[in-house]
Amino acid sequence: MSKLTSREQGFIEYLENLVSNRDRGAIANLRRGLRKSPGTIPQMDRHVLKFLPEDIGERQEEPYYLVASLFALWHQGRDSTESAAGNLGRSLRVLVEQEGDPNRRDNIEKGIEKRLVALLNCHRDDLPEHLRQIISLLKSNEVSVDWAQLLSDIKYWDRDDRPVQKAWARGFWIGSRQREEKEATHAEISSSETDED
């Protein structure tokens, strides 16, 4: 989406250090924010507020609290972090592509596409619940998330020109098109090799 700020990068590095240092208590405190309004769990404050300017508004704080709780959900029980590149749409595309059976992959893709469309159409107030479901799905399939990108994207979720939603859609559907083109090329090569025999 946009260039990540040093504040966003620093916040994500801090969260990653909690996992690397095996601070399970901190991760548990951050997880308490799930299914709660962002910023309403005092146990999260010590991990979030130090990264925010004093005069920041409640609406600008919310993405930090939300990402902290989602990060803790994904990393629960883990001792290390994994890097991901790209936005959440790209992570969902990776989830689809890891299925080797083309018939199962098509069914998986349809289900994920339905969830993605619901997410892309949701109001900012409904974003925490939609993201919790998506992150749970990615976690259960061990698909990494670019947390700094997610933080940045949530900050711009309710812009009128919908740049985040468009970027996530591109991340998901362009990957689908690329796979289809690759499969078509592979089929053409296989067909021409068969014709030559």
Side-chain angles (χ1 to χ4, degrees), residues 27-62:
I27 296 297
N29 283 336
L30 293 174
R31 239 184 13 261
R32 290 180 187 197
L34 295 170
R35 296 182 188 247
K36 307 283 189 218
S37 296
T40 60
I41 305 300
Q43 293 89 335
M44 295 181 74
D45 290 344
R46 72 181 296 257
H47 303 289
V48 176
L49 291 178
K50 61 181 152 188
F51 289 93
L52 303 178
E54 199 171 315
D55 60 345
I56 194 169
E58 203 174 292
R59 193 77 164 162
Q60 289 82 31
E61 288 179 348
E62 289 176 358

PDB file of all heavy atoms in Angstrom, residues 27-62:
ATOM      1  N   ILE A  27       2.501 -12.308  24.891  1.00  0.00           N
ATOM      2  CA  ILE A  27       1.682 -12.788  23.768  1.00  0.00           C
ATOM      3  C   ILE A  27       0.264 -13.083  24.255  1.00  0.00           C
ATOM      4  O   ILE A  27      -0.720 -12.738  23.588  1.00  0.00           O
ATOM      5  CB  ILE A  27       2.327 -14.028  23.098  1.00  0.00           C
ATOM      6  CG1 ILE A  27       3.683 -13.660  22.463  1.00  0.00           C
ATOM      7  CG2 ILE A  27       1.391 -14.650  22.066  1.00  0.00           C
ATOM      8  CD1 ILE A  27       3.613 -12.642  21.341  1.00  0.00           C
ATOM      9  N   ALA A  28       0.143 -13.687  25.429  1.00  0.00           N
ATOM     10  CA  ALA A  28      -1.188 -13.968  25.990  1.00  0.00           C
ATOM     11  C   ALA A  28      -1.947 -12.667  26.267  1.00  0.00           C
ATOM     12  O   ALA A  28      -3.146 -12.570  25.983  1.00  0.00           O
ATOM     13  CB  ALA A  28      -1.055 -14.782  27.272  1.00  0.00           C
ATOM     14  N   ASN A  29      -1.260 -11.660  26.792  1.00  0.00           N
ATOM     15  CA  ASN A  29      -1.910 -10.368  27.046  1.00  0.00           C
ATOM     16  C   ASN A  29      -2.387  -9.724  25.751  1.00  0.00           C
ATOM     17  O   ASN A  29      -3.463  -9.130  25.704  1.00  0.00           O
ATOM     18  CB  ASN A  29      -0.964  -9.428  27.781  1.00  0.00           C
ATOM     19  CG  ASN A  29      -0.842  -9.765  29.245  1.00  0.00           C
ATOM     20  OD1 ASN A  29      -1.734 -10.374  29.820  1.00  0.00           O
ATOM     21  ND2 ASN A  29       0.264  -9.385  29.847  1.00  0.00           N
ATOM     22  N   LEU A  30      -1.591  -9.840  24.709  1.00  0.00           N
ATOM     23  CA  LEU A  30      -1.980  -9.261  23.420  1.00  0.00           C
ATOM     24  C   LEU A  30      -3.165 -10.020  22.816  1.00  0.00           C
ATOM     25  O   LEU A  30      -4.042  -9.422  22.197  1.00  0.00           O
ATOM     26  CB  LEU A  30      -0.793  -9.251  22.456  1.00  0.00           C
ATOM     27  CG  LEU A  30       0.356  -8.329  22.846  1.00  0.00           C
ATOM     28  CD1 LEU A  30       1.535  -8.514  21.902  1.00  0.00           C
ATOM     29  CD2 LEU A  30      -0.097  -6.875  22.878  1.00  0.00           C
ATOM     30  N   ARG A  31      -3.184 -11.329  23.007  1.00  0.00           N
ATOM     31  CA  ARG A  31      -4.280 -12.141  22.472  1.00  0.00           C
ATOM     32  C   ARG A  31      -5.612 -11.791  23.127  1.00  0.00           C
ATOM     33  O   ARG A  31      -6.672 -12.026  22.560  1.00  0.00           O
ATOM     34  CB  ARG A  31      -3.961 -13.623  22.681  1.00  0.00           C
ATOM     35  CG  ARG A  31      -3.909 -14.407  21.423  1.00  0.00           C
ATOM     36  CD  ARG A  31      -3.697 -15.892  21.583  1.00  0.00           C
ATOM     37  NE  ARG A  31      -3.848 -16.465  22.892  1.00  0.00           N
ATOM     38  CZ  ARG A  31      -2.845 -16.760  23.727  1.00  0.00           C
ATOM     39  NH1 ARG A  31      -1.609 -16.543  23.368  1.00  0.00           N
ATOM     40  NH2 ARG A  31      -3.091 -17.301  24.896  1.00  0.00           N
ATOM     41  N   ARG A  32      -5.569 -11.232  24.320  1.00  0.00           N
ATOM     42  CA  ARG A  32      -6.812 -10.851  25.011  1.00  0.00           C
ATOM     43  C   ARG A  32      -7.610  -9.815  24.229  1.00  0.00           C
ATOM     44  O   ARG A  32      -8.797  -9.636  24.458  1.00  0.00           O
ATOM     45  CB  ARG A  32      -6.499 -10.292  26.395  1.00  0.00           C
ATOM     46  CG  ARG A  32      -6.012 -11.332  27.346  1.00  0.00           C
ATOM     47  CD  ARG A  32      -5.710 -10.742  28.697  1.00  0.00           C
ATOM     48  NE  ARG A  32      -5.098 -11.764  29.525  1.00  0.00           N
ATOM     49  CZ  ARG A  32      -5.003 -11.704  30.821  1.00  0.00           C
ATOM     50  NH1 ARG A  32      -5.470 -10.658  31.465  1.00  0.00           N
ATOM     51  NH2 ARG A  32      -4.427 -12.666  31.494  1.00  0.00           N
ATOM     52  N   GLY A  33      -6.952  -9.146  23.298  1.00  0.00           N
ATOM     53  CA  GLY A  33      -7.630  -8.139  22.506  1.00  0.00           C
ATOM     54  C   GLY A  33      -8.539  -8.705  21.438  1.00  0.00           C
ATOM     55  O   GLY A  33      -9.346  -7.977  20.852  1.00  0.00           O
ATOM     56  N   LEU A  34      -8.455 -10.005  21.175  1.00  0.00           N
ATOM     57  CA  LEU A  34      -9.324 -10.622  20.174  1.00  0.00           C
ATOM     58  C   LEU A  34     -10.776 -10.538  20.632  1.00  0.00           C
ATOM     59  O   LEU A  34     -11.085 -10.714  21.808  1.00  0.00           O
ATOM     60  CB  LEU A  34      -8.934 -12.082  19.955  1.00  0.00           C
ATOM     61  CG  LEU A  34      -7.559 -12.303  19.357  1.00  0.00           C
ATOM     62  CD1 LEU A  34      -7.191 -13.781  19.414  1.00  0.00           C
ATOM     63  CD2 LEU A  34      -7.512 -11.803  17.917  1.00  0.00           C
ATOM     64  N   ARG A  35     -11.642 -10.241  19.708  1.00  0.00           N
ATOM     65  CA  ARG A  35     -13.087 -10.136  19.951  1.00  0.00           C
ATOM     66  C   ARG A  35     -13.455  -8.988  20.900  1.00  0.00           C
ATOM     67  O   ARG A  35     -14.563  -8.939  21.418  1.00  0.00           O
ATOM     68  CB  ARG A  35     -13.653 -11.456  20.471  1.00  0.00           C
ATOM     69  CG  ARG A  35     -13.536 -12.585  19.481  1.00  0.00           C
ATOM     70  CD  ARG A  35     -14.155 -13.840  20.056  1.00  0.00           C
ATOM     71  NE  ARG A  35     -13.880 -14.968  19.214  1.00  0.00           N
ATOM     72  CZ  ARG A  35     -14.799 -15.633  18.527  1.00  0.00           C
ATOM     73  NH1 ARG A  35     -16.040 -15.268  18.572  1.00  0.00           N
ATOM     74  NH2 ARG A  35     -14.461 -16.655  17.785  1.00  0.00           N
ATOM     75  N   LYS A  36     -12.502  -8.108  21.140  1.00  0.00           N
ATOM     76  CA  LYS A  36     -12.760  -6.918  21.958  1.00  0.00           C
ATOM     77  C   LYS A  36     -12.539  -5.686  21.088  1.00  0.00           C
ATOM     78  O   LYS A  36     -11.811  -5.734  20.095  1.00  0.00           O
ATOM     79  CB  LYS A  36     -11.815  -6.853  23.161  1.00  0.00           C
ATOM     80  CG  LYS A  36     -11.798  -8.095  24.013  1.00  0.00           C
ATOM     81  CD  LYS A  36     -13.017  -8.163  24.888  1.00  0.00           C
ATOM     82  CE  LYS A  36     -12.844  -9.296  25.882  1.00  0.00           C
ATOM     83  NZ  LYS A  36     -14.010 -10.029  26.162  1.00  0.00           N
ATOM     84  N   SER A  37     -13.125  -4.597  21.469  1.00  0.00           N
ATOM     85  CA  SER A  37     -12.881  -3.351  20.745  1.00  0.00           C
ATOM     86  C   SER A  37     -11.413  -2.963  20.917  1.00  0.00           C
ATOM     87  O   SER A  37     -10.893  -3.012  22.040  1.00  0.00           O
ATOM     88  CB  SER A  37     -13.772  -2.233  21.268  1.00  0.00           C
ATOM     89  OG  SER A  37     -15.115  -2.538  21.022  1.00  0.00           O
ATOM     90  N   PRO A  38     -10.741  -2.595  19.832  1.00  0.00           N
ATOM     91  CA  PRO A  38      -9.327  -2.222  19.942  1.00  0.00           C
ATOM     92  C   PRO A  38      -9.110  -1.120  20.973  1.00  0.00           C
ATOM     93  O   PRO A  38      -9.826  -0.129  21.012  1.00  0.00           O
ATOM     94  CB  PRO A  38      -8.980  -1.743  18.526  1.00  0.00           C
ATOM     95  CG  PRO A  38      -9.937  -2.467  17.640  1.00  0.00           C
ATOM     96  CD  PRO A  38     -11.213  -2.547  18.452  1.00  0.00           C
ATOM     97  N   GLY A  39      -8.135  -1.343  21.839  1.00  0.00           N
ATOM     98  CA  GLY A  39      -7.781  -0.349  22.831  1.00  0.00           C
ATOM     99  C   GLY A  39      -8.528  -0.468  24.142  1.00  0.00           C
ATOM    100  O   GLY A  39      -8.385   0.384  25.015  1.00  0.00           O
ATOM    101  N   THR A  40      -9.322  -1.527  24.321  1.00  0.00           N
ATOM    102  CA  THR A  40     -10.115  -1.661  25.546  1.00  0.00           C
ATOM    103  C   THR A  40      -9.522  -2.650  26.550  1.00  0.00           C
ATOM    104  O   THR A  40     -10.097  -2.838  27.619  1.00  0.00           O
ATOM    105  CB  THR A  40     -11.559  -2.082  25.221  1.00  0.00           C
ATOM    106  OG1 THR A  40     -11.533  -3.346  24.542  1.00  0.00           O
ATOM    107  CG2 THR A  40     -12.258  -1.038  24.364  1.00  0.00           C
ATOM    108  N   ILE A  41      -8.409  -3.260  26.242  1.00  0.00           N
ATOM    109  CA  ILE A  41      -7.772  -4.234  27.134  1.00  0.00           C
ATOM    110  C   ILE A  41      -6.519  -3.594  27.730  1.00  0.00           C
ATOM    111  O   ILE A  41      -5.501  -3.440  27.045  1.00  0.00           O
ATOM    112  CB  ILE A  41      -7.418  -5.530  26.373  1.00  0.00           C
ATOM    113  CG1 ILE A  41      -8.645  -6.108  25.672  1.00  0.00           C
ATOM    114  CG2 ILE A  41      -6.776  -6.550  27.300  1.00  0.00           C
ATOM    115  CD1 ILE A  41      -9.782  -6.468  26.601  1.00  0.00           C
ATOM    116  N   PRO A  42      -6.560  -3.203  28.999  1.00  0.00           N
ATOM    117  CA  PRO A  42      -5.421  -2.505  29.606  1.00  0.00           C
ATOM    118  C   PRO A  42      -4.099  -3.284  29.554  1.00  0.00           C
ATOM    119  O   PRO A  42      -3.032  -2.680  29.489  1.00  0.00           O
ATOM    120  CB  PRO A  42      -5.864  -2.292  31.065  1.00  0.00           C
ATOM    121  CG  PRO A  42      -7.343  -2.351  31.030  1.00  0.00           C
ATOM    122  CD  PRO A  42      -7.699  -3.295  29.924  1.00  0.00           C
ATOM    123  N   GLN A  43      -4.151  -4.623  29.565  1.00  0.00           N
ATOM    124  CA  GLN A  43      -2.927  -5.418  29.511  1.00  0.00           C
ATOM    125  C   GLN A  43      -2.154  -5.202  28.208  1.00  0.00           C
ATOM    126  O   GLN A  43      -0.964  -5.495  28.141  1.00  0.00           O
ATOM    127  CB  GLN A  43      -3.231  -6.919  29.663  1.00  0.00           C
ATOM    128  CG  GLN A  43      -3.760  -7.312  31.022  1.00  0.00           C
ATOM    129  CD  GLN A  43      -5.279  -7.219  31.099  1.00  0.00           C
ATOM    130  OE1 GLN A  43      -5.924  -6.474  30.359  1.00  0.00           O
ATOM    131  NE2 GLN A  43      -5.867  -7.952  32.029  1.00  0.00           N
ATOM    132  N   MET A  44      -2.823  -4.697  27.200  1.00  0.00           N
ATOM    133  CA  MET A  44      -2.170  -4.463  25.914  1.00  0.00           C
ATOM    134  C   MET A  44      -1.452  -3.116  25.879  1.00  0.00           C
ATOM    135  O   MET A  44      -0.528  -2.933  25.088  1.00  0.00           O
ATOM    136  CB  MET A  44      -3.196  -4.515  24.775  1.00  0.00           C
ATOM    137  CG  MET A  44      -3.843  -5.867  24.577  1.00  0.00           C
ATOM    138  SD  MET A  44      -5.016  -5.835  23.201  1.00  0.00           S
ATOM    139  CE  MET A  44      -3.898  -5.796  21.806  1.00  0.00           C
ATOM    140  N   ASP A  45      -1.873  -2.194  26.709  1.00  0.00           N
ATOM    141  CA  ASP A  45      -1.377  -0.812  26.643  1.00  0.00           C
ATOM    142  C   ASP A  45       0.146  -0.714  26.717  1.00  0.00           C
ATOM    143  O   ASP A  45       0.756   0.019  25.945  1.00  0.00           O
ATOM    144  CB  ASP A  45      -2.005   0.041  27.751  1.00  0.00           C
ATOM    145  CG  ASP A  45      -3.484   0.302  27.526  1.00  0.00           C
ATOM    146  OD1 ASP A  45      -3.959   0.098  26.394  1.00  0.00           O
ATOM    147  OD2 ASP A  45      -4.156   0.699  28.494  1.00  0.00           O
ATOM    148  N   ARG A  46       0.769  -1.460  27.620  1.00  0.00           N
ATOM    149  CA  ARG A  46       2.225  -1.338  27.780  1.00  0.00           C
ATOM    150  C   ARG A  46       2.982  -1.783  26.527  1.00  0.00           C
ATOM    151  O   ARG A  46       4.112  -1.383  26.314  1.00  0.00           O
ATOM    152  CB  ARG A  46       2.700  -2.106  29.007  1.00  0.00           C
ATOM    153  CG  ARG A  46       2.671  -3.629  28.852  1.00  0.00           C
ATOM    154  CD  ARG A  46       3.135  -4.319  30.138  1.00  0.00           C
ATOM    155  NE  ARG A  46       4.502  -4.010  30.443  1.00  0.00           N
ATOM    156  CZ  ARG A  46       5.516  -4.836  30.230  1.00  0.00           C
ATOM    157  NH1 ARG A  46       5.290  -6.027  29.704  1.00  0.00           N
ATOM    158  NH2 ARG A  46       6.733  -4.482  30.540  1.00  0.00           N
ATOM    159  N   HIS A  47       2.352  -2.595  25.704  1.00  0.00           N
ATOM    160  CA  HIS A  47       3.001  -3.086  24.489  1.00  0.00           C
ATOM    161  C   HIS A  47       2.704  -2.212  23.270  1.00  0.00           C
ATOM    162  O   HIS A  47       3.419  -2.288  22.277  1.00  0.00           O
ATOM    163  CB  HIS A  47       2.564  -4.523  24.200  1.00  0.00           C
ATOM    164  CG  HIS A  47       2.846  -5.459  25.327  1.00  0.00           C
ATOM    165  ND1 HIS A  47       4.116  -5.847  25.666  1.00  0.00           N
ATOM    166  CD2 HIS A  47       2.010  -6.054  26.212  1.00  0.00           C
ATOM    167  CE1 HIS A  47       4.068  -6.661  26.707  1.00  0.00           C
ATOM    168  NE2 HIS A  47       2.796  -6.802  27.056  1.00  0.00           N
ATOM    169  N   VAL A  48       1.665  -1.412  23.348  1.00  0.00           N
ATOM    170  CA  VAL A  48       1.227  -0.638  22.185  1.00  0.00           C
ATOM    171  C   VAL A  48       1.513   0.854  22.333  1.00  0.00           C
ATOM    172  O   VAL A  48       2.066   1.486  21.427  1.00  0.00           O
ATOM    173  CB  VAL A  48      -0.282  -0.867  21.919  1.00  0.00           C
ATOM    174  CG1 VAL A  48      -0.766   0.013  20.780  1.00  0.00           C
ATOM    175  CG2 VAL A  48      -0.569  -2.334  21.619  1.00  0.00           C
ATOM    176  N   LEU A  49       1.146   1.419  23.465  1.00  0.00           N
ATOM    177  CA  LEU A  49       1.171   2.872  23.609  1.00  0.00           C
ATOM    178  C   LEU A  49       2.559   3.488  23.473  1.00  0.00           C
ATOM    179  O   LEU A  49       2.687   4.626  23.019  1.00  0.00           O
ATOM    180  CB  LEU A  49       0.536   3.288  24.937  1.00  0.00           C
ATOM    181  CG  LEU A  49      -0.969   3.054  25.026  1.00  0.00           C
ATOM    182  CD1 LEU A  49      -1.495   3.461  26.391  1.00  0.00           C
ATOM    183  CD2 LEU A  49      -1.711   3.789  23.919  1.00  0.00           C
ATOM    184  N   LYS A  50       3.599   2.751  23.820  1.00  0.00           N
ATOM    185  CA  LYS A  50       4.945   3.333  23.718  1.00  0.00           C
ATOM    186  C   LYS A  50       5.359   3.596  22.271  1.00  0.00           C
ATOM    187  O   LYS A  50       6.330   4.296  22.032  1.00  0.00           O
ATOM    188  CB  LYS A  50       5.974   2.463  24.437  1.00  0.00           C
ATOM    189  CG  LYS A  50       6.117   1.068  23.916  1.00  0.00           C
ATOM    190  CD  LYS A  50       7.156   0.339  24.758  1.00  0.00           C
ATOM    191  CE  LYS A  50       6.928  -1.133  24.821  1.00  0.00           C
ATOM    192  NZ  LYS A  50       7.815  -1.774  25.779  1.00  0.00           N
ATOM    193  N   PHE A  51       4.620   3.062  21.329  1.00  0.00           N
ATOM    194  CA  PHE A  51       4.938   3.281  19.918  1.00  0.00           C
ATOM    195  C   PHE A  51       4.104   4.399  19.291  1.00  0.00           C
ATOM    196  O   PHE A  51       4.277   4.725  18.124  1.00  0.00           O
ATOM    197  CB  PHE A  51       4.732   1.982  19.124  1.00  0.00           C
ATOM    198  CG  PHE A  51       5.772   0.962  19.444  1.00  0.00           C
ATOM    199  CD1 PHE A  51       5.547   0.013  20.431  1.00  0.00           C
ATOM    200  CD2 PHE A  51       6.998   0.977  18.809  1.00  0.00           C
ATOM    201  CE1 PHE A  51       6.512  -0.912  20.760  1.00  0.00           C
ATOM    202  CE2 PHE A  51       7.975   0.062  19.132  1.00  0.00           C
ATOM    203  CZ  PHE A  51       7.733  -0.886  20.113  1.00  0.00           C
ATOM    204  N   LEU A  52       3.213   4.975  20.065  1.00  0.00           N
ATOM    205  CA  LEU A  52       2.297   5.972  19.525  1.00  0.00           C
ATOM    206  C   LEU A  52       2.585   7.351  20.087  1.00  0.00           C
ATOM    207  O   LEU A  52       2.939   7.484  21.256  1.00  0.00           O
ATOM    208  CB  LEU A  52       0.860   5.560  19.860  1.00  0.00           C
ATOM    209  CG  LEU A  52       0.440   4.180  19.363  1.00  0.00           C
ATOM    210  CD1 LEU A  52      -0.973   3.869  19.806  1.00  0.00           C
ATOM    211  CD2 LEU A  52       0.578   4.058  17.867  1.00  0.00           C
ATOM    212  N   PRO A  53       2.406   8.390  19.263  1.00  0.00           N
ATOM    213  CA  PRO A  53       2.581   9.747  19.789  1.00  0.00           C
ATOM    214  C   PRO A  53       1.495  10.054  20.822  1.00  0.00           C
ATOM    215  O   PRO A  53       0.405   9.493  20.784  1.00  0.00           O
ATOM    216  CB  PRO A  53       2.440  10.635  18.552  1.00  0.00           C
ATOM    217  CG  PRO A  53       1.920   9.791  17.466  1.00  0.00           C
ATOM    218  CD  PRO A  53       2.074   8.363  17.846  1.00  0.00           C
ATOM    219  N   GLU A  54       1.799  10.950  21.717  1.00  0.00           N
ATOM    220  CA  GLU A  54       0.892  11.265  22.822  1.00  0.00           C
ATOM    221  C   GLU A  54      -0.438  11.840  22.343  1.00  0.00           C
ATOM    222  O   GLU A  54      -1.489  11.591  22.919  1.00  0.00           O
ATOM    223  CB  GLU A  54       1.578  12.260  23.760  1.00  0.00           C
ATOM    224  CG  GLU A  54       0.954  12.318  25.121  1.00  0.00           C
ATOM    225  CD  GLU A  54       1.776  13.149  26.076  1.00  0.00           C
ATOM    226  OE1 GLU A  54       3.006  12.986  26.114  1.00  0.00           O
ATOM    227  OE2 GLU A  54       1.162  13.979  26.763  1.00  0.00           O
ATOM    228  N   ASP A  55      -0.411  12.586  21.246  1.00  0.00           N
ATOM    229  CA  ASP A  55      -1.619  13.274  20.790  1.00  0.00           C
ATOM    230  C   ASP A  55      -2.418  12.479  19.748  1.00  0.00           C
ATOM    231  O   ASP A  55      -3.321  13.016  19.122  1.00  0.00           O
ATOM    232  CB  ASP A  55      -1.243  14.646  20.217  1.00  0.00           C
ATOM    233  CG  ASP A  55      -0.292  14.551  19.034  1.00  0.00           C
ATOM    234  OD1 ASP A  55       0.305  13.471  18.819  1.00  0.00           O
ATOM    235  OD2 ASP A  55      -0.146  15.562  18.326  1.00  0.00           O
ATOM    236  N   ILE A  56      -2.126  11.215  19.592  1.00  0.00           N
ATOM    237  CA  ILE A  56      -2.821  10.406  18.583  1.00  0.00           C
ATOM    238  C   ILE A  56      -4.265  10.151  19.025  1.00  0.00           C
ATOM    239  O   ILE A  56      -4.545   9.984  20.214  1.00  0.00           O
ATOM    240  CB  ILE A  56      -2.070   9.085  18.324  1.00  0.00           C
ATOM    241  CG1 ILE A  56      -2.586   8.409  17.053  1.00  0.00           C
ATOM    242  CG2 ILE A  56      -2.185   8.159  19.526  1.00  0.00           C
ATOM    243  CD1 ILE A  56      -1.732   7.250  16.600  1.00  0.00           C
ATOM    244  N   GLY A  57      -5.155  10.120  18.065  1.00  0.00           N
ATOM    245  CA  GLY A  57      -6.564   9.873  18.356  1.00  0.00           C
ATOM    246  C   GLY A  57      -6.857   8.391  18.478  1.00  0.00           C
ATOM    247  O   GLY A  57      -6.091   7.542  18.031  1.00  0.00           O
ATOM    248  N   GLU A  58      -7.991   8.110  19.077  1.00  0.00           N
ATOM    249  CA  GLU A  58      -8.395   6.727  19.304  1.00  0.00           C
ATOM    250  C   GLU A  58      -8.502   5.949  17.994  1.00  0.00           C
ATOM    251  O   GLU A  58      -8.099   4.790  17.917  1.00  0.00           O
ATOM    252  CB  GLU A  58      -9.749   6.726  20.030  1.00  0.00           C
ATOM    253  CG  GLU A  58     -10.029   5.477  20.796  1.00  0.00           C
ATOM    254  CD  GLU A  58     -11.312   5.618  21.606  1.00  0.00           C
ATOM    255  OE1 GLU A  58     -11.331   6.417  22.558  1.00  0.00           O
ATOM    256  OE2 GLU A  58     -12.277   4.918  21.259  1.00  0.00           O
ATOM    257  N   ARG A  59      -9.015   6.591  16.971  1.00  0.00           N
ATOM    258  CA  ARG A  59      -9.188   5.921  15.671  1.00  0.00           C
ATOM    259  C   ARG A  59      -7.832   5.535  15.070  1.00  0.00           C
ATOM    260  O   ARG A  59      -7.721   4.514  14.404  1.00  0.00           O
ATOM    261  CB  ARG A  59      -9.951   6.862  14.728  1.00  0.00           C
ATOM    262  CG  ARG A  59     -10.476   6.221  13.492  1.00  0.00           C
ATOM    263  CD  ARG A  59     -11.707   5.436  13.809  1.00  0.00           C
ATOM    264  NE  ARG A  59     -12.422   5.130  12.580  1.00  0.00           N
ATOM    265  CZ  ARG A  59     -13.319   4.193  12.497  1.00  0.00           C
ATOM    266  NH1 ARG A  59     -13.648   3.492  13.536  1.00  0.00           N
ATOM    267  NH2 ARG A  59     -13.921   3.959  11.363  1.00  0.00           N
ATOM    268  N   GLN A  60      -6.799   6.335  15.311  1.00  0.00           N
ATOM    269  CA  GLN A  60      -5.465   6.037  14.787  1.00  0.00           C
ATOM    270  C   GLN A  60      -4.753   4.978  15.630  1.00  0.00           C
ATOM    271  O   GLN A  60      -3.831   4.324  15.162  1.00  0.00           O
ATOM    272  CB  GLN A  60      -4.598   7.307  14.729  1.00  0.00           C
ATOM    273  CG  GLN A  60      -5.029   8.290  13.649  1.00  0.00           C
ATOM    274  CD  GLN A  60      -6.193   9.144  14.112  1.00  0.00           C
ATOM    275  OE1 GLN A  60      -6.335   9.456  15.288  1.00  0.00           O
ATOM    276  NE2 GLN A  60      -7.062   9.520  13.186  1.00  0.00           N
ATOM    277  N   GLU A  61      -5.171   4.801  16.892  1.00  0.00           N
ATOM    278  CA  GLU A  61      -4.594   3.761  17.756  1.00  0.00           C
ATOM    279  C   GLU A  61      -5.095   2.374  17.375  1.00  0.00           C
ATOM    280  O   GLU A  61      -4.387   1.385  17.528  1.00  0.00           O
ATOM    281  CB  GLU A  61      -5.010   3.988  19.224  1.00  0.00           C
ATOM    282  CG  GLU A  61      -4.373   5.123  19.917  1.00  0.00           C
ATOM    283  CD  GLU A  61      -4.887   5.252  21.351  1.00  0.00           C
ATOM    284  OE1 GLU A  61      -5.903   4.605  21.723  1.00  0.00           O
ATOM    285  OE2 GLU A  61      -4.264   6.004  22.113  1.00  0.00           O
ATOM    286  N   GLU A  62      -6.327   2.301  16.926  1.00  0.00           N
ATOM    287  CA  GLU A  62      -6.991   1.021  16.709  1.00  0.00           C
ATOM    288  C   GLU A  62      -6.198   0.037  15.850  1.00  0.00           C
ATOM    289  O   GLU A  62      -6.119  -1.142  16.201  1.00  0.00           O
ATOM    290  CB  GLU A  62      -8.383   1.241  16.123  1.00  0.00           C
ATOM    291  CG  GLU A  62      -9.354   1.825  17.117  1.00  0.00           C
ATOM    292  CD  GLU A  62     -10.713   2.136  16.528  1.00  0.00           C
ATOM    293  OE1 GLU A  62     -10.917   1.936  15.306  1.00  0.00           O
ATOM    294  OE2 GLU A  62     -11.590   2.580  17.289  1.00  0.00           O
TER     295      GLU A  62
END
